Amino acid sequence: MSKGTSDKNSLSTHFIAGGGAGFTEACCCHPLDTIKVRMQLSQRTPRPGFVTAAVNIITKESPLALYKGLGAVVMGIVPKMAIRFSSFEMYKSWFANKETGIVSTTATFLAGLGAGITEAVMVVTPMDVIKIRLQAQRHSMTDPLDIPKYRNAAHAAYTIVKEEGLTALYKGVALTALRQATNQAVNFTVYQEMKKRMKKLQGTKDGQELPTYQHLLMGGFSGAMGPLANAPIDTIKTRIQRSKDAESGWSRFKTVTVSLIRNEGYLALYKGLLPRLMRVGVGQAVTFAAYERIKIYMEIMSRDLSLPLIESTLSPSLSRNSSLHKNQQTNAQD
């Protein structure tokens, strides 16, 4: 198999494994994200805590309300994770040492930055706008007469574009790109360095993987680093994306930030930090564990499927060589 074909197969493996990991993470962790968004959007005093926000949603809107916006997340998170992991591997190969193939910590950090920006522009920003509009709606999920403005992800996307234009789906794109870039730069760097050291400590051989529980722990720890660094960015982004005002760019950023600090104080920039830490930390733990496991299964399947193909390709050639060898032996005896 040529190097080009091998690289292509490797990239497709990362793409599919990333998508599968994203679906697993969305199903496990979405309720935490809904609670986080409600806490960030709340302007009440005193601010509702994590448990209060969760209980309010469950009692007033039913437990199903914790999954508001899940359709938008699943529609977005599968391609998002697929793009994240495959673009990270692609950028990593670009930044690797051309002679030795070694990827430095700086190269990993830059590859993470690139992956974060790529996913933000291609998937995350429109997905976030739709998700936040759905999550911000306060209606009962069990009362058929309580009809919300946005019925589902597809209807929300259609309504937003119809009423506000296509550009409304890209509200807060710069902040989203900044958040995703810092998240993934820190996330991938911490995870890759921890993985490298754990393998060295345990004497893991080339081709061997660490146990799943270690991927869970490393993913959870690395995932928690980003939210600690960029919580204010995420809160301001959420307020901008919920808004229907036509104002955009730097002017909108200033208006939202100044209004938030003046009316609610500097601590309001960290609203929803606890559920976000739980959401992202737990989410990354699930994501990395699922990704590593799916990747292993895909590599095994690829190897099992390629062996019969190689054998069937080589068999005619081997048969011809065998016949030729027998003919030569017969001629020599004659």
Side-chain angles (χ1 to χ4, degrees):
M1 188 181 286
S2 68
K3 186 178 185 296
T5 307
S6 176
D7 289 346
K8 194 173 180 181
N9 288 342
S10 177
L11 201 62
S12 65
T13 298
H14 293 300
F15 189 86
I16 296 167
F23 179 78
T24 306
E25 188 257 6
C27 293
C28 292
C29 305
H30 188 72
L32 293 171
D33 191 65
T34 300
I35 296 166
K36 179 211 77 169
V37 167
R38 288 294 181 86
M39 288 176 71
Q40 288 178 330
L41 295 177
S42 173
Q43 297 181 21
R44 288 185 297 169
T45 304
R47 301 185 190 92
F50 173 75
V51 175
T52 304
V55 170
N56 285 341
I57 294 169
I58 292 167
T59 54
K60 295 177 182 177
E61 303 169 53
S62 88
L64 286 174
L66 292 170
Y67 286 91
K68 282 181 178 178
L70 179 61
V73 173
V74 170
M75 282 168 53
I77 202 165
V78 174
K80 177 180 88 169
M81 290 299 185
I83 288 167
R84 174 185 297 178
F85 282 99
S86 56
S87 64
F88 172 73
E89 292 296 329
M90 183 179 69
Y91 294 138
K92 199 168 71 167
S93 68
W94 291 357
F95 293 126
N97 187 296
K98 302 302 177 188
E99 295 177 0
T100 63
I102 294 172
V103 181
S104 66
T105 303
T106 303
T108 302
F109 186 85
L110 292 172
L113 277 176
I117 293 169
T118 303
E119 69 178 16
V121 174
M122 293 182 71
V123 181
V124 178
T125 305
M127 182 191 79
D128 266 8
V129 171
I130 295 166
K131 174 180 71 69
I132 287 166
R133 295 290 181 91
L134 286 165
Q135 289 174 321
Q137 295 183 130
R138 300 177 186 275
H139 68 285
S140 172
M141 297 284 285
T142 56
D143 184 358
L145 298 177
D146 191 358
I147 301 171
K149 179 176 180 178
Y150 307 118
R151 294 193 292 273
N152 51 50
H155 181 254
Y158 171 78
T159 306
I160 292 166
V161 172
K162 183 182 177 183
E163 294 181 354
E164 304 169 51
L166 186 63
T167 55
L169 291 175
Y170 281 88
K171 277 186 175 181
V173 65
L175 285 175
T176 304
L178 181 60
R179 182 194 67 175
Q180 294 304 114
T182 52
N183 268 352
Q184 300 321 315
V186 173
N187 190 16
F188 276 115
T189 304
V190 173
Y191 181 80
Q192 294 286 336
E193 289 301 308
M194 288 178 71
K195 184 179 174 181
K196 208 182 295 179
R197 278 160 176 67
M198 289 294 286
K199 282 190 167 186
K200 190 175 179 180
L201 281 170
Q202 297 175 53
T204 308
K205 296 177 183 177
D206 289 341
Q208 284 187 325
E209 265 305 335
L210 297 168
T212 300
Y213 81 89
Q214 292 185 13
H215 290 300
L216 276 167
L217 292 172
M218 291 187 300
F221 184 80
S222 65
M225 296 296 102
L228 289 171
N230 58 28
I233 295 170
D234 190 58
T235 301
I236 295 166
K237 176 199 73 71
T238 299
R239 293 290 179 95
I240 288 173
Q241 289 178 325
R242 185 201 182 186
S243 170
K244 298 175 187 176
D245 293 344
E247 191 180 9
S248 60
W250 178 246
S251 174
R252 183 65 191 150
F253 173 78
K254 283 197 301 182
T255 302
V256 169
T257 307
V258 170
S259 173
L260 190 151
I261 293 171
R262 182 182 295 153
N263 297 327
E264 302 170 54
Y266 283 98
L267 284 177
L269 292 168
Y270 290 88
K271 277 185 174 181
L273 178 59
L274 176 60
R276 188 171 174 232
L277 275 172
M278 292 172 66
R279 169 70 174 85
V280 177
V282 173
Q284 288 306 305
V286 172
T287 298
F288 275 115
Y291 169 77
E292 298 284 4
R293 188 53 49 189
I294 294 169
K295 184 161 68 76
I296 290 169
Y297 290 148
M298 288 195 65
E299 287 169 352
I300 292 169
M301 287 173 61
S302 177
R303 189 167 62 246
D304 290 346
L305 288 171
S306 64
L307 281 174
L309 184 64
I310 292 167
E311 287 172 359
S312 64
T313 305
L314 291 177
S315 289
S317 175
L318 290 170
S319 179
R320 283 196 301 271
N321 289 341
S322 178
S323 299
L324 182 62
H325 183 63
K326 283 179 181 178
N327 290 336
Q328 286 174 345
Q329 283 181 328
T330 304
N331 291 337
Q333 287 173 358
D334 292 343

